Amino acid sequence: MSIKSIYKAVFEGDASRAADLVQTALEEGLAPTDILNSGCIAAMAEVGQLFEQGEMFVPEMLIAARAMQAAMAILKPHLAEDEISSSGKVILGTVSGDLHDIGKNLVGMMMEGAGFELIDLGTDVSAATFVQAIREHGADIVGMSALLTTTMPAMTTTVEALTEAGLRDKVKVLVGGAPVTQVFADQIGADGFASDASSATRVAKNLLGTS
Ligand code: B1M
């Protein structure tokens, strides 16, 4: 069994094979983070690159994404196993108008793995839903993901809604996603930015002073 075969199964969008291979790899003692980074994430990166070059299209991207999620369902408990205990409560969602959730789910997995209590609001989450969830659950951090340049403004709207609701000083705001930058995070008054799932965990801990 090699991680390359997991990469291939995700890349080709073979969900059941991807899940089976991840299961076998784990049974054989391969490190969950190696399977994640060199198998699943690397395969999706190539999918993205080919899409950008016009050599792959939306349906194929979606099929690959589903294979990645099938692999993730097997990996998730093992990623969580490695890490330490309770660090705080995180409310996480992909912002309004945006349906991309693979990166957001990875961030959530890594957060849970690092001992955060996670409330995942899913995708296409409106500012009002973020506000309501923070009121209901009293989170330490609200994490927003955006993969489209057209949905980045929804992060601004959400930060404004938090301020209007009197919640802005009660939660730390963490933002990320492929088009999001530190400069943008600073512009909208977010507390933190992370470019990938593992740094998201580190930034979250820094924000709460628990690193
Ligand atoms: Co979409 N898509 N997509 N897509 N898609 C992108 C994002 C795109 C860059 C592709 C391209 O054109 N090159 C492009 C956006 C262009 C832009 O805005 N500038 C794009 C487009 C255009 C679209 C549609 C509009 C296509 C269409 O319909 N014509 C459409 C929009 C739908 C919508 O959201 N309303 C669409 C649809 C889809 C699918 C449904 C087919 C599928 C999503 C499936 C799913 O998520 N369940 C999909 C996919 C798979 C992609 C690409 C290929 C891969 C995204 C991904 O999962 N990457 C993507 C191309 C690319 O990224 N190169 C693309 C793997 C993932 C692990 O990385 O999500 O970046 P990422 O997450 C990383 C970091 O960004 C970070 O950590 C993660 C892990 O390391 N991170 C955070 C993410 N969130 C964070 C939050 C944090 C911190 C870090 O704190 C809270």
Side-chain angles (χ1 to χ4, degrees), residues 39-136:
C40 303
I41 291 181
M44 286 308 298
E46 188 177 351
V47 168
Q49 208 176 344
L50 290 176
F51 183 81
E52 281 164 36
Q53 293 163 357
E55 290 174 37
M56 214 178 216
F57 301 97
V58 172
E60 294 159 296
M61 258 190 339
L62 183 54
I63 291 166
R66 286 190 182 145
M68 175 150 179
Q69 284 177 330
M72 286 302 160
I74 307 292
L75 256 189
K76 184 177 173 179
H78 299 271
L79 289 169
E81 247 172 31
D82 290 345
E83 309 279 346
I84 37 175
S85 63
S86 187
S87 305
K89 193 183 285 184
V90 179
I91 286 178
L92 185 63
T94 302
V95 295
S96 189
D98 200 322
L99 302 176
H100 295 85
D101 66 356
I102 297 171
K104 183 266 297 170
N105 292 345
L106 278 173
V107 170
M109 283 178 212
M110 297 305 283
M111 290 279 188
E112 281 188 308
F116 285 93
E117 186 184 339
L118 178 71
I119 296 160
D120 187 342
L121 302 178
T123 59
D124 191 16
V125 181
S126 68
T129 303
F130 275 113
V131 166
Q132 189 189 332
I134 294 161
R135 283 202 174 118
E136 195 177 324

Side-chain angles (χ1 to χ4, degrees), residues 117-159:
E117 186 184 339
L118 178 71
I119 296 160
D120 187 342
L121 302 178
T123 59
D124 191 16
V125 181
S126 68
T129 303
F130 275 113
V131 166
Q132 189 189 332
I134 294 161
R135 283 202 174 118
E136 195 177 324
H137 302 286
D140 301 297
I141 293 179
V142 58
M144 289 184 269
S145 178
L147 263 288
L148 299 171
T149 46
T150 49
T151 58
M152 287 166 67
M155 290 181 161
T156 315
T157 311
T158 305
V159 172

